[in-house]
Amino acid sequence: MKKLLNTLYITQSDVYLSLDGDNIVLQKDKEKIGRIPLHNLETVVSFGYTGASPALMGYCAEKNISIVFLTASGRFLARVIGKSKGNVILRKKQYKISEDEELSTKIARNFITAKIYNNKWMLERMKRDYPLRLNVNQFKETSRHLSSIIQEVRLCKELERLRGLEGQAAISYNRLFNEMILQQKEDFFFYSRSRRPPLDNVNAMLSFAYTLLANDMASALEGVGLDAYVGFLHRDRPGRISLALDVMEELRGVYADRFVLSLINKKIFNKDDFYKKENGAILMTDEARKKFLSAWQNKKQEKITHPYLGEKIQWGLVPHAQSLLLARYLREDLDEYPPFLWK
């Protein structure tokens, strides 16, 4: 259970929610484990299937408190709201900005600034932790290059130019990705990004991690009332969760890439966890996928201090925190969208 920005997160999957007066009551195995006043809450997010009482849902609908139901793994199920009020205005603002390239660029450059910044500090941390195993000068040079690109991104006013700068930064970062693989280098190597299909073990893991992160981000965005399919950097395409892909740019390296690297470097995965199809695609075995999902869920439980909010939260709540901040920016409660800057 975690209260964050007037949102209550119930992270235990077997907790039932009920109403007592003006309070939400948390019950587990028919025992009351928590009681929180509802008057300061805007949203309740529950990870699990146990459910909520009709009385609580009716009270929240009347008071304009939304209840979001996610699976234990974070997949969006449903959102219970009352009469349409603020969410309509929020989505109309999102759609309006999406149609304006200059306004879209203003938001999108914060996503890309955070992505490059976080990748830079991944390199800095690797350089600090493994100075005898890495080409330190190469890491320093790339870090300086990423810093210079960040300065250009902050001044960028065109989406196409922004995409070009992001591409330059990605090329520089990817050149060193293979150097960050410290174990099992004969079976795990990265020379370039291959997506459809992944052509090596590392790309197979990265693709799966990015898919999971995109789904988590889409659930978080839907939970705050945003449309996950209408983005600012990634433009509209049928079936593509463009806004989720936008916001997850901040977390690709620091969350997904570091997660994949840890599975390799800690030897949690090995070559036997993969197989090759006739078309050259490398895929994970069923057992490996289960192992990956289990480790992903464990990763989401780890605690960090959110750089903007200054609060300790689980990694799994970071997409939800960023979604809340983005919604607040679109409602003009914040002067600028605060991206996730890790260090």
Side-chain angles (χ1 to χ4, degrees), residues 2 4 304-313:
K2 175 69 177 177
L4 184 67
I304 62 157
T305 299
H306 192 282
Y308 177 78
L309 301 174
E311 292 187 42
K312 275 195 172 296
I313 64 173

Side-chain angles (χ1 to χ4, degrees), residues 10-16 27-29 33 47-50:
I10 315 298
T11 54
Q12 292 176 275
S13 61
D14 53 353
V15 172
Y16 182 76
Q27 294 177 285
K28 182 176 180 180
D29 298 328
I33 61 170
F47 291 76
Y49 297 100
T50 308

Side-chain angles (χ1 to χ4, degrees), residues 1-11 17 24 26 36-47 52 56-57 59-61 63-70 76 78-82 86-87 90 219-226 317 320-321 323-325 327-328 331 333:
M1 181 175 66
K2 175 69 177 177
K3 187 178 176 184
L4 184 67
L5 292 175
N6 299 107
T7 298
L8 177 65
Y9 292 93
I10 315 298
T11 54
L17 312 178
I24 182 172
L26 284 60
I36 299 195
L38 282 160
H39 61 270
N40 286 326
L41 294 180
E42 295 177 358
T43 308
V44 177
V45 180
S46 177
F47 291 76
L56 175 65
M57 289 190 281
Y59 178 98
C60 289
K63 300 294 184 181
N64 201 31
I65 301 170
S66 62
I67 304 179
V68 180
F69 294 100
L70 309 175
F76 181 79
R79 188 166 186 266
V80 179
I81 58 174
N87 291 325
L90 176 64
S219 292
L221 291 166
E222 293 286 349
V224 299
L226 289 165
L317 293 184
H320 297 270
S323 298
L324 281 167
L325 291 171
R328 290 197 167 196
R331 290 192 182 105
D333 294 333

Side-chain angles (χ1 to χ4, degrees), residues 160-173:
E160 201 57 41
R161 170 64 174 158
L162 183 61
R163 294 188 186 101
L165 292 169
E166 189 275 333
Q168 291 178 35
I171 290 171
S172 294
Y173 167 77

